[in-house]
Structures are given as C-alpha cells and as structure tokens.
C-alpha cells in the first residue's frame, strides 16, 4: 500500500463506472490517489463511484469524466481534464473495454473494429498522452487490463481476444521503451470475475466455471483491484513488462 503522502498523486481509471473499474478506483482512492474516473455512459453510476471514493478517503479530489476512449478527441479531453485538475498523471489504468461476440465467419468488420478501438487503440492513445507528463515527472505507472482470453484465446471472441493480446504486446513494448524514464508498464489478465456481465449467467454455467478453477470460486472485482494497487505502488518499482493473471488458477 502506498504511504499517506500519496494524496498528491493522480490516477486515471477508464471504464470506472462499474465492475472492475469501479473497484480499482475505490482501491486507489483508499491508497490516497486523486482520481479521474472515466465513463462512456451511465452518469449516475459514475457519480455513485465518485461519492464512494470521496467517502473512502476524505480530502482527495475525484472527477467523473464522460468520454469516448475510442476517439482521439475523447482521449485528449480525458487527459486534459486530469492535467488541468492535477498537473500530473502518476497512474493510468486502461480498463475500458467491451465485447461484441460472434463466430469469426459471421463477424462483421464493424464488430471487429469497434472492439479493437475501445479495448486496444484507446490504451495506445491515452498512454501516449500520459507519457508526455510521466517522462517529465521521471516516474509513472501504466497498467493495462488484458484478459486470460488474450493469453489463451477464446472461441467466439476473436475480436476481444485479439484486442487483449494486443494489449500484452503494447505493454511489453512500452515497458522496454520507457524503463529508462522510471516508468513501469504492466498488464493484468483477469479470469472469471463476478461483474454485471457474469451475474447474468445461469447457475449451471457458473457451477461449470467454478469446477474449472483450482481455488474453487469466482473471483471478485476487489481481487483484481488489489493487484492493480500493488502495481501502482512503490512496492512494484522493479516490476515492468509483466502479465499477471488473476484467475484463481483457471488456466493451469
């Protein structure tokens, strides 16, 4: 966990209005980071996350910013909001993502491209913008939210798997480029995590999933947030270019 003086540090978390992104924002708030929580829609949910973060750590500043991370203008607006509010960006968590599942033979180019733009291209654009500040700070953390699907693939998700695999390549290349500037770049690859998406699955499907997990349970969003908090902290200053699976051993 970061020390009390980290209240001067600032983090951007995309896709932070619910699920894993919300859990990450709340954990970073607890660790004393000022925050820009980014959402595409669902203002009410984002404002609720903002309120929870402020209650967790009184004294921090939290901005809820609506933005389309799939566009260059949207990414620039998010970055400028953080820069204008805090003058710095210490941690960028590229968590925004979506799925548009389907078999490859039936998948349209639009289905493929939209997932790539939101899951992968946005991470490149926001990372590039934030690096302009991080290099001057001589310190920074970029954490990309990949998936076990990006490591091992998943039938019916060629677009999603490709985007998450692309994030791993982006992570490793940026880690090599930015290491000399004291900027670390890592990826987190969640497995089966309890979110709005998994909550809608049938009990039979959940039971089948748990049977494949050595730890015998579906993961919580807080399990992922804890790993992100470690990578954002000074304790992870010698960790870069890594892909950390948070899957309960799902793919062993």
């Amino acid at each position: 966990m970061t020390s009390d003086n980290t209240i001067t540090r600032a983090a951007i978390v995309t896709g932070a209005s619910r699920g894993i992104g919300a859990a990450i924002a709340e954990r970073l708030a607890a660790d004393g980071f000022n925050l820009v929580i980014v959402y595409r829609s669902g203002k009410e949910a984002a404002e609720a996350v903002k309120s929870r973060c402020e209650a967790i750590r009184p004294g921090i500043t939290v901005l809820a910013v609506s933005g389309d991370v799939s566009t260059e203008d949207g990414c620039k607006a998010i970055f400028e909001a953080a820069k204008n509010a805090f003058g710095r960006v210490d941690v960028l968590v590229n968590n925004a993502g979506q799925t548009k599942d389907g078999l490859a033979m039936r998948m349209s180019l639009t289905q493929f491209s939209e997932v790539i733009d939101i899951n992968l291209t946005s991470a490149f654009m926001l990372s590039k913008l934030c690096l302009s500040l991080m290099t001057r700070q001589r310190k920074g953390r970029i954490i990309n939210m990949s998936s076990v699907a990006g490591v091992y693939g998943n039938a019916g998700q060629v677009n999603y798997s490709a985007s998450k695999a692309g994030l791993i390549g982006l992570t490793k290349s940026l880690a090599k480029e930015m290491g000399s500037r004291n900027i670390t770049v890592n990826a987190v690859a969640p497995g089966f995590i309890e979110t709005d998406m998994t909550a809608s699955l049938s009990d039979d499907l959940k039971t089948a999933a748990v049977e494949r997990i050595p730890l015998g349970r579906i993961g919580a969003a807080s399990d992922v947030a804890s790993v992100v908090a470690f990578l954002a902290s000074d304790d992870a200053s010698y960790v870069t270019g890594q892909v950390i699976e948070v899957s309960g051993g799902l793919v062993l």
Side-chain angles (χ1 to χ4, degrees), residues 58-110:
I60 65 171
T61 299
V62 184
L63 306 179
V65 177
S66 175
D68 183 356
V69 297
S70 70
T71 69
E72 188 172 15
D73 286 344
C75 289
K76 285 180 178 177
I78 292 163
F79 171 71
E80 290 298 329
K83 181 180 178 182
N84 292 337
F86 307 122
R88 60 187 298 117
V89 175
D90 298 277
V91 176
L92 168 65
V93 183
N94 287 308
N95 172 72
Q98 73 166 8
T99 58
K100 285 185 178 292
D101 296 348
L103 296 176
M105 289 180 65
R106 300 174 183 169
M107 184 176 290
S108 69
L109 181 58
T110 298

Side-chain angles (χ1 to χ4, degrees), residues 43 127 195:
K43 181 178 180 179
S127 295
T195 62

Side-chain angles (χ1 to χ4, degrees), residues 131 134-135 142 173-185:
L131 286 171
M134 290 179 176
T135 53
I142 296 176
S173 294
L174 274 183
K176 290 183 176 182
E177 289 186 16
M178 305 312 301
S180 63
R181 303 296 183 93
N182 196 31
I183 297 168
T184 66
V185 189

Side-chain angles (χ1 to χ4, degrees), residues 4-19:
D4 287 344
N5 64 9
T6 58
I7 202 164
T8 59
R9 295 184 185 178
I12 298 173
V13 183
T14 65
S17 64
R18 59 192 175 95

Side-chain angles (χ1 to χ4, degrees), residues 69-227:
V69 297
S70 70
T71 69
E72 188 172 15
D73 286 344
C75 289
K76 285 180 178 177
I78 292 163
F79 171 71
E80 290 298 329
K83 181 180 178 182
N84 292 337
F86 307 122
R88 60 187 298 117
V89 175
D90 298 277
V91 176
L92 168 65
V93 183
N94 287 308
N95 172 72
Q98 73 166 8
T99 58
K100 285 185 178 292
D101 296 348
L103 296 176
M105 289 180 65
R106 300 174 183 169
M107 184 176 290
S108 69
L109 181 58
T110 298
Q111 279 178 284
F112 187 86
S113 299
E114 286 182 357
V115 171
I116 294 294
D117 287 346
I118 290 176
N119 297 8
L120 176 58
T121 308
S122 66
F124 163 72
M125 291 189 291
L126 279 171
S127 295
K128 181 178 178 180
L129 289 164
C130 290
L131 286 171
S132 66
L133 285 180
M134 290 179 176
T135 53
R136 290 201 292 273
Q137 295 163 190
R138 299 291 297 182
K139 187 176 183 180
R141 303 277 190 268
I142 296 176
I143 302 162
N144 296 317
M145 199 57 55
S146 183
S147 167
V148 293
V151 182
Y152 304 99
N154 204 22
Q157 289 190 315
V158 294
N159 48 4
Y160 183 79
S161 297
S163 70
K164 295 302 186 177
L167 280 173
I168 292 172
L170 176 70
T171 295
K172 292 180 178 293
S173 294
L174 274 183
K176 290 183 176 182
E177 289 186 16
M178 305 312 301
S180 63
R181 303 296 183 93
N182 196 31
I183 297 168
T184 66
V185 189
N186 291 285
V188 178
F192 208 86
I193 306 297
E194 189 69 65
T195 62
D196 292 346
M197 191 182 304
T198 57
S200 63
L201 297 177
S202 69
D203 290 341
D204 288 344
L205 285 174
K206 289 183 180 180
T207 298
V210 169
E211 289 175 351
R212 297 171 53 203
I213 300 171
L215 288 184
R217 67 176 176 88
I218 295 173
S222 59
D223 292 321
V224 181
S226 294
V227 174

